[in-house]
């Protein structure tokens, strides 16, 4: 049995919480000590020793100076620590840092926040024994002098295809998600195709509430999967992703997926239809091609999974 400290501070996104769930499902037998600042984790970690951190996130890069002596001693008695929130603090034990948000690496000068996070990342690279990433394209962004470990892989699974018809997409008012292009593309789809269009709205943006769209909010993961299964095609528009997990969830749910031809989905598959990023006509052509390929009852598709064995 290993003794592991999990630093969950800074993890708030649905993707981040999914990663934590994956980790916990694979490490039930280890002795875990959990640091957290998100109260949503209380139920997930109730069976483990834990400590709530109320220090402001801006100071977490140097959290070792803010922890009490008893907590510091406890942390340093464990085998290693995993920082899940993109950057961590210095300890006397082996240290891993997981990078999930890649915007500070690809666009460090786009906002002051990304600039500050880029500094935090680089400090964490120096104090970490290994940098954990989910995909190879993220590992390629880490400077060569730092050791990386890729935990994500894909395996092929034969999946029954949906008999339902319709388009579904996840909308989020974040520049990287390309929301302006996404809204216009959905309007183009509504004008050219008769199939229903469902939007999973994560941003509470009323601009997308149009008569042509079915808009859903506040779905948990199980509800999202059920929505996926009532459609035939998933549309993704982001410029950057660490994984693009909804793409794989849609594939596993029996959908065709429409994705930009970018590094984060560097796969070829009969259910993946690619378009030139930001190009409306290219996206419409990809959608048209997907509709022509709906008759096959089963398809072999790539399914994403993570291996949290760090040994």
């Amino acid at each position: 049995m290993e003794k592991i400290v999990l630093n969950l501070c800074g993890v708030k996104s649905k993707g981040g919480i999914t990663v934590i769930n994956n980790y916990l499902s694979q490490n039930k037998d280890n002795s875990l000590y959990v640091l957290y600042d998100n109260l949503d984790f209380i139920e997930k970690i109730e069976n483990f020793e834990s400590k709530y951190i109320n220090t402001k996130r801006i100071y977490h890069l140097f959290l070792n100076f803010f922890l009490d002596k008893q907590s510091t001693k406890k942390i340093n008695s464990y085998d290693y620590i995993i920082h899940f929130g993109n950057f961590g603090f210095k300890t006397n034990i082996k240290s891993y840092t997981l990078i999930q948000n890649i915007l500070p690496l690809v666009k460090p000068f786009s906002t002051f926040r990304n600039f500050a996070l880029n500094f935090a990342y680089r400090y964490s690279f120096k104090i970490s024994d290994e940098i954990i990433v989910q995909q190879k394209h993220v590992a390629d962004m880490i400077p060569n002098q730092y050791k990386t470990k890729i935990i994500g892989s894909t395996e092929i699974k034969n999946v029954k295809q949906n008999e339902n018809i319709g388009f579904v997409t996840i909308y989020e008012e974040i520049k990287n998600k390309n929301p302006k292009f996404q809204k216009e593309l959905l309007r183009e789809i509504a004008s050219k195709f008769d199939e229903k269009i469902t939007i999973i709205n994560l941003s509470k943006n009323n601009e997308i509430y149009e008569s042509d769209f079915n808009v859903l909010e506040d779905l948990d993961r199980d509800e999202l999967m059920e929505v996926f299964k009532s459609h035939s095609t998933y549309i993704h528009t982001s410029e950057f992703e660490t994984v693009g997990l909804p793409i794989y969830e849609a594939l596993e749910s029996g959908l065709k997926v429409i994705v930009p031809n970018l590094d984060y989905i560097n796969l070829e598959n009969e259910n993946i239809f690619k378009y030139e990023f930001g190009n409306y006509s290219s996206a419409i052509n990809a959608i048209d091609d997907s509709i022509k390929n709906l008759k096959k009852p089963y398809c072999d598709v790539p399914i994403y999974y993570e291996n949290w064995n760090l040994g």
Side-chain angles (χ1 to χ4, degrees):
M1 179 189 297
E2 292 184 306
K3 296 175 61 182
I4 307 164
V5 181
L6 306 184
N7 178 11
L8 308 188
C9 293
V11 179
K12 292 182 172 61
S13 69
K14 287 188 176 182
I17 292 172
T18 298
V19 169
I20 301 303
N21 289 338
N22 288 341
Y23 179 88
L24 293 176
S25 69
Q26 295 179 36
N27 287 272
K28 295 176 181 177
D29 297 329
N30 286 324
S31 174
L32 304 180
Y33 179 48
V34 183
L35 309 177
Y36 68 102
D37 62 356
N38 181 354
L39 295 176
D40 290 341
F41 281 121
I42 290 178
E43 187 174 329
K44 299 179 187 299
I45 62 174
E46 60 184 359
N47 295 325
F48 308 112
E49 287 190 79
S50 62
K51 180 177 178 61
Y52 179 70
I53 304 297
N54 57 14
T55 305
K56 289 184 178 180
R57 181 64 175 156
I58 193 173
Y59 301 122
H60 282 210
L61 202 61
F62 307 104
L63 190 60
N64 47 304
F65 294 113
F66 293 88
L67 292 169
D68 59 83
K69 289 183 178 180
Q70 184 178 354
S71 297
T72 299
K73 183 178 180 180
K74 185 175 184 65
I75 289 170
N76 288 325
S77 71
Y78 277 64
D79 296 323
Y80 59 87
I81 183 170
I82 306 174
H83 303 286
F84 282 87
N86 295 296
F87 62 85
F89 58 93
K90 197 169 185 179
T91 65
N92 294 334
I93 57 177
K94 188 172 184 178
S95 176
Y96 296 90
T97 299
L98 171 67
I99 300 298
Q100 275 197 288
N101 177 10
I102 63 172
L103 286 180
L105 294 174
V106 296
K107 289 192 171 182
F109 303 110
S110 59
T111 65
F112 177 77
R113 181 176 184 274
N114 283 343
F115 178 79
L117 284 173
N118 183 273
F119 171 82
Y121 282 20
R122 293 184 182 278
Y123 174 79
S124 290
F125 293 166
K126 292 179 180 179
I127 65 170
S128 297
D129 293 279
E130 285 190 71
I131 310 302
I132 300 173
V133 298
Q134 294 162 289
Q135 299 260 43
K136 183 181 181 301
H137 73 278
V138 182
D140 292 339
M141 299 176 189
I142 309 298
N144 291 333
Q145 66 263 41
Y146 303 113
K147 188 176 180 181
T148 59
K149 184 175 184 64
I150 302 173
I151 59 168
S153 300
T154 58
E155 61 182 17
I156 299 300
K157 181 178 180 181
N158 190 250
V159 173
K160 187 179 188 303
Q161 301 300 285
N162 278 341
E163 297 178 356
N164 298 307
I165 301 297
F167 303 103
V168 60
T169 191
I170 298 175
Y171 181 87
E172 199 166 1
E173 194 70 28
I174 298 174
K175 188 175 181 180
N176 171 54
K177 303 296 183 182
N178 211 7
K180 183 178 179 181
F181 171 83
Q182 189 175 14
K183 284 185 288 188
E184 291 303 317
L185 178 60
L186 292 173
R187 293 185 182 112
E188 283 282 315
I189 294 170
S191 69
K192 295 180 182 296
F193 301 97
D194 295 328
E195 288 81 357
K196 66 180 177 181
I197 300 172
T198 298
I199 301 173
I200 313 301
N201 184 22
L202 303 184
S203 293
K204 307 295 188 291
N205 186 322
N206 292 329
E207 292 181 17
I208 62 172
Y209 285 81
E210 299 183 11
S211 58
D212 293 322
F213 305 148
N214 176 33
V215 181
L216 303 175
E217 296 180 348
D218 300 321
L219 302 182
D220 60 27
R221 187 181 183 278
D222 291 338
E223 291 169 332
L224 176 62
M225 294 304 99
E226 287 303 312
V227 172
F228 275 180
K229 290 174 182 177
S230 65
H231 297 77
S232 57
T233 308
Y234 171 72
I235 298 169
H236 200 81
T237 60
S238 296
E239 183 176 7
F240 301 106
E241 292 283 6
T242 48
V243 175
L245 188 58
I247 298 170
Y248 295 96
E249 291 174 329
L251 287 167
E252 191 169 11
S253 298
L255 279 70
K256 314 296 183 187
V257 298
I258 313 299
V259 298
N261 190 13
L262 296 171
D263 287 345
Y264 64 79
I265 188 71
N266 189 24
L267 296 170
E268 298 297 329
N269 184 266
E270 62 181 319
N271 274 16
I272 299 175
F273 297 84
K274 297 182 180 181
Y275 65 91
E276 183 182 340
F277 177 74
N279 186 309
Y280 293 108
S281 62
S282 177
I284 292 296
N285 288 338
I287 291 167
D288 197 38
D289 288 341
S290 75
I291 291 174
K292 296 174 183 175
N293 287 272
L294 291 177
K295 295 182 179 179
K296 197 170 180 179
Y298 286 86
C299 288
D300 290 335
V301 299
I303 305 301
Y304 176 80
Y305 69 96
E306 293 175 354
N307 180 1
W308 277 101
N309 180 7
L310 300 181

